[in-house]
Amino acid sequence: MSDLIAAVATARAASAIGILRLSGPGACEAVGRVFTPASGKPLSAYPDRRLVYGSLKDSQGRIIDWCMATVSHGPHSYTGEDTAELQCHGGAALLAAGLESLFAAGARQAGPGEFTKRAFLNGRMDLSQAEAVIDLIEADTAELAANAAGQLGGAIRARAEAIHDQLIDILAHFHAVLDYPDEDIDPFQLEDYLHTLRSAQAQLQRLHDSFRRGRIARSGLATVLLGQPNVGKSSLLNALAGYDRAIVTAVPGTTRDTVEERVRVGGTLLRLIDTAGLRQTADEVEALGVARTESAAQEAELALCILDLSRPRSEEDERAMQLARKAPHCLIIGNKCDLPRRQVPPAGAICLCAKTGEGVQDLQQAITALVGEVDAPWDGAVLTNARQADAVARAIDALHRAEEALGEGLTPDAVLTDVEAAIDALGQLTGRSLREEVVSRIFSRFCVGK
Ligand code: GDP
């Protein structure tokens, strides 16, 4: 049995409107105790979802705002329970007093994500939709917001449920044949099953493939800047970022730590990591930085290796290039092309001048050509969440095993076990088969009032 919760649903900053939200048994009565319609009629006389103008009282009965109230009785509400909202003026002190007043009327403070958690537990949305709520709130680009809106509308849920239903059909048929061998049930249609398993795998694989795109859109493609001290890494970072993010000095070894910057190149978001140089050093702080460079290089998807063309090629340059070539994608950059040349750039190197920005556009084009994303729509079919990607991967694996078992003519039990595992993994995507503690952890990412 759930209780009555209340929270301020808007950001705590002076703004035009601030919203107080209530959900649970007695929500409509509680709001009726703190809010009086200007018409003189009681709030309960108004129909659901009607905005009503009136006064809000604090816990001492003093009027603290003239605002709007609305109620929605369950189950046709966001949480599936009785809910009410007060749309007040957006002052922090006023909202705090309004919230106190709701507490005095019987509510308690809602925990993080508790409204959306109730919506999920009451079947108003599945877990992929609930997670889309926080994605929509946190989306910092129009693409991510559009994708989250698609998922809130059920883009992932629809895909997962269609596959779930097909797999349940297979399970049901298998069980019917196994459990009632004397009944006149259609025999196994192996070809049909194989087709279903393969098409489910292909659909889920497309979903899983989208995760790379989603991850890059969210946090950027891990891109490491490599090169010995003073070749111009910080200058290039600044040239790409468009302002002075890293400290540029003429003294080698000043970039002691790694500096990160998110930069949009073409349609791709890069998470640029400027590293301490690769110089062999006795300086302990710098030695730490060098170790970090090596691990950043190993984890990067794109390495940009910078050479100073105004100096002869050194062993350190060679080491930097070697390290860079270990990344899945790599570009060699010949910097300081404004100065007299003291080395021949390697074949395919992009020559530029980080200081003035000359040639930086060529680098941007090369990056787009190398790691740029296809211009597919952001309609909700892009996975941006590692938990969801993991569930999809497990479903694919289980379907693959089921297909193999079927192909090898293994006992139906083996096929059944794998199909059940796939159904379970899909259930984790939609939240059908998740344990309470996992659900609680997911909603703890939310802020209070959502
Ligand atoms: P980092 O140690 O690799 O990060 O190198 P910095 O970006 O701090 O640059 C080292 C020095 O080289 C600074 O004095 C920069 O102004 C200079 N520098 C960087 N790029 C260029 C360039 O393209 N041309 C010239 N002439 N100097 C540059």
Side-chain angles (χ1 to χ4, degrees):
M1 178 69 187
S2 81
D3 54 356
L4 182 59
I5 53 172
V8 178
T10 42
R12 271 169 211 276
S15 54
I17 292 171
I19 294 177
L20 290 164
R21 195 179 201 189
L22 272 168
S23 180
C28 307
E29 295 74 15
V31 81
R33 283 199 282 280
V34 303
F35 176 88
T36 312
S39 65
K41 285 196 284 185
L43 187 59
S44 57
Y46 288 88
D48 270 24
R49 289 184 284 279
R50 171 77 56 85
L51 274 176
V52 183
Y53 179 68
S55 60
L56 172 65
K57 289 193 280 288
D58 71 7
S59 49
Q60 261 96 64
R62 294 175 298 213
I63 291 180
I64 50 169
D65 197 10
W66 286 89
C67 58
M68 310 294 285
T70 180
V71 301
S72 292
H73 286 84
H76 302 293
S77 68
Y78 182 75
T79 58
E81 304 174 329
D82 287 356
T83 58
E85 257 183 44
L86 287 159
Q87 302 186 3
C88 310
H89 290 95
L94 135 69
L95 290 171
L99 188 61
E100 277 302 320
S101 191
L102 290 173
F103 293 162
R108 68 156 170 88
Q109 172 67 53
E114 206 170 356
F115 290 91
T116 308
K117 183 176 175 183
R118 288 185 178 193
F120 164 67
L121 293 175
N122 291 327
R124 299 293 291 160
M125 51 175 74
D126 83 338
L127 199 57
S128 71
Q129 290 170 301
E131 285 177 307
V133 172
I134 189 157
D135 289 345
L136 193 53
I137 293 167
E138 288 181 348
D140 52 9
T141 64
E143 288 84 6
L144 284 173
N147 194 58
Q151 294 182 358
L152 187 58
I156 292 182
R157 176 186 190 154
R159 283 168 172 79
E161 286 191 343
I163 296 172
H164 183 269
D165 288 352
Q166 290 168 5
L167 297 181
I168 292 282
D169 280 349
I170 294 185
L171 268 195
H173 196 183
F174 258 86
H175 276 299
V177 174
L178 286 176
D179 297 347
Y180 305 99
D182 302 332
E183 297 289 324
D184 190 15
I185 297 169
D186 289 344
F188 291 140
Q189 303 293 332
L190 284 190
E191 273 309 310
D192 286 355
Y193 291 164
L194 274 175
H195 175 76
T196 303
L197 294 178
R198 282 186 193 134
S199 109
Q201 275 178 79
Q203 290 172 56
L204 290 172
Q205 191 61 52
R206 272 200 296 282
L207 199 55
H208 194 261
D209 289 347
S210 73
F211 181 51
R212 179 176 183 273
R213 188 169 170 228
R215 196 164 36 95
I216 294 171
R218 222 171 141 140
S219 27
L221 183 87
T223 305
V224 67
L225 289 169
L226 296 172
Q228 57 170 315
N230 246 21
V231 291
K233 295 181 297 298
S234 310
S235 304
L236 184 66
L237 176 86
N238 290 337
L240 286 168
Y243 66 97
D244 286 353
R245 168 69 173 81
I247 311 148
V248 180
T249 60
V251 186
T254 44
T255 312
R256 291 291 170 91
D257 210 334
T258 53
V259 177
E260 276 196 28
E261 183 66 47
R262 295 206 288 169
V263 181
R264 192 165 284 281
V265 172
T268 309
L269 185 70
L270 302 185
R271 184 159 52 86
L272 277 176
I273 306 151
D274 185 11
T275 58
L278 282 176
R279 205 169 50 143
Q280 298 290 355
T281 176
D283 180 329
E284 248 177 63
V285 183
E286 204 177 304
L288 253 179
V290 172
R292 245 176 242 171
T293 302
E294 304 216 346
S295 70
Q298 273 150 18
E299 285 158 24
E301 289 193 58
L302 170 66
L304 302 177
C305 178
I306 305 166
L307 305 172
D308 177 348
L309 297 184
S310 71
R311 285 190 295 188
R313 181 93 48 88
S314 67
E315 242 177 66
E316 287 163 9
D317 288 334
E318 298 292 349
R319 274 191 57 215
M321 284 196 284
Q322 244 177 25
L323 198 54
R325 289 192 176 113
K326 287 187 186 153
H329 303 286
C330 149
L331 286 171
I332 309 287
I333 295 151
N335 189 30
K336 308 197 189 182
C337 68
D338 53 317
L339 298 178
R341 231 173 232 193
R342 304 273 309 279
Q343 65 165 289
V344 181
I350 296 156
C351 295
L352 52 81
C353 173
K355 205 169 168 177
T356 63
E358 190 195 329
V360 170
Q361 220 177 354
D362 296 342
L363 174 63
Q364 289 170 329
Q365 280 166 7
I367 291 172
T368 304
L370 201 61
V371 296
E373 293 295 325
V374 280
D375 205 14
W378 290 91
D379 56 0
V382 181
L383 281 188
T384 55
N385 174 316
R387 190 196 72 78
Q388 295 172 355
D390 183 56
V392 172
R394 274 182 291 119
I396 295 170
D397 283 349
L399 289 173
H400 184 68
R401 289 197 305 272
E403 186 194 332
E404 279 185 345
L406 208 57
E408 287 164 11
L410 288 181
T411 60
D413 283 354
V415 181
L416 278 181
T417 309
D418 291 324
V419 172
E420 271 165 9
I423 290 174
D424 184 65
L426 286 176
Q428 299 192 5
L429 182 63
T430 57
R432 262 185 214 252
S433 52
L434 267 189
R435 282 169 311 163
E436 167 62 25
E437 71 215 74
V438 181
V439 170
S440 293
R441 183 162 319 161
I442 290 167
F443 284 99
S444 66
R445 288 171 54 221
F446 281 60
C447 39
V448 172
K450 300 296 177 297

